[in-house]
Amino acid sequence: MAILKILQYPAEQLHTIAETVPEVTGLTRTLIRDMAETMYNAPGIGLAATQVDVHQRIIVIDVSKTNDNLLVLINPEIIASSGESDYEEGCLSVPGIYGKVGRAESITVKALDANGKPFALDASGVLAVCVQHEMDHLVGKVFVEYWSPLKQSRVQAKLKKRQRSAM
Ligand code: NI
């Protein structure tokens, strides 16, 4: 297993559109294990392959407090959604920045699991928000990009300052 490097906003690769996984192979499962380890190590509750510069439609999520409920979504598709919610979101690619984005409250998502088996999942609350956030990464969208240009430039200034002080 390996800890992968997480791209930091505004890295241009975060805007790459991920490709459908044609077949779930041993290599896919190795990537998933590394993504999960990277997410738990960060620590975070979700990670999209895009964030580790692999442009395939793969997401790992664990919203449990005990870090023992890994959810793997390969080629996820939202097939139903309802309601509205605006949870405070954060992102491993945008450290230290938190804020709200309008999302559906409940979703049904279909995907393949780590064995390539199709399944459907009904999610609501924080899990539903997390799935929507991670699926945005797969189409090259970072949550702060829902915000106004002014707010986004403040985010960029704050991140630059953080990066300077980290050196
Ligand atoms: Ni994110």
Side-chain angles (χ1 to χ4, degrees):
M1 298 220 284
I3 308 272
L4 307 171
K5 186 167 175 271
I6 300 174
L7 292 171
Q8 298 297 298
Y9 180 81
E12 200 38 56
Q13 301 100 301
L14 287 170
H15 296 134
T16 310
I17 299 190
E19 293 186 358
T20 300
V21 177
E23 191 191 352
V24 178
T25 64
L27 282 175
T28 317
R29 280 185 286 273
T30 301
L31 171 65
I32 288 166
R33 276 195 295 272
D34 289 346
M35 284 174 62
E37 193 183 9
T38 303
M39 172 183 75
Y40 288 128
N41 176 68
I45 61 169
L47 189 71
T50 306
Q51 292 176 274
V52 293
D53 210 10
V54 176
H55 300 289
Q56 297 180 25
R57 293 184 59 80
I58 302 173
I59 290 169
V60 294
I61 289 175
D62 191 339
V63 297
S64 74
K65 289 200 164 51
T66 41
N67 284 355
D68 58 359
N69 195 12
L70 182 67
L71 174 65
V72 175
L73 298 164
I74 301 171
N75 300 339
E77 260 181 81
I78 291 176
I79 53 175
S81 64
S82 63
E84 285 172 29
S85 76
D86 58 347
Y87 274 82
E88 186 101 330
E89 297 182 25
C91 180
L92 294 176
S93 293
V94 200
I97 306 291
Y98 302 91
K100 293 179 175 180
V101 172
R103 305 280 190 191
E105 162 64 21
S106 301
I107 58 167
T108 303
V109 60
K110 68 169 194 175
L112 303 177
D113 68 14
N115 295 312
K117 192 165 159 266
F119 69 101
L121 172 78
D122 293 318
S124 59
V126 66
L127 179 58
V129 169
C130 191
V131 170
Q132 292 170 82
H133 174 118
E134 301 310 332
M135 283 183 69
D136 272 353
H137 279 300
L138 301 179
V139 291
K141 184 149 184 165
V142 180
F143 80 116
V144 297
E145 292 166 344
Y146 282 97
W147 300 345
S148 69
L150 176 64
K151 200 169 169 192
Q152 284 185 53
S153 56
R154 285 191 190 135
V155 166
Q156 298 216 12
K158 197 170 168 187
L159 289 171
K160 278 203 191 99
K161 205 173 155 192
R162 273 175 68 103
Q163 277 159 11
R164 273 201 305 273
S165 60
M167 276 194 266

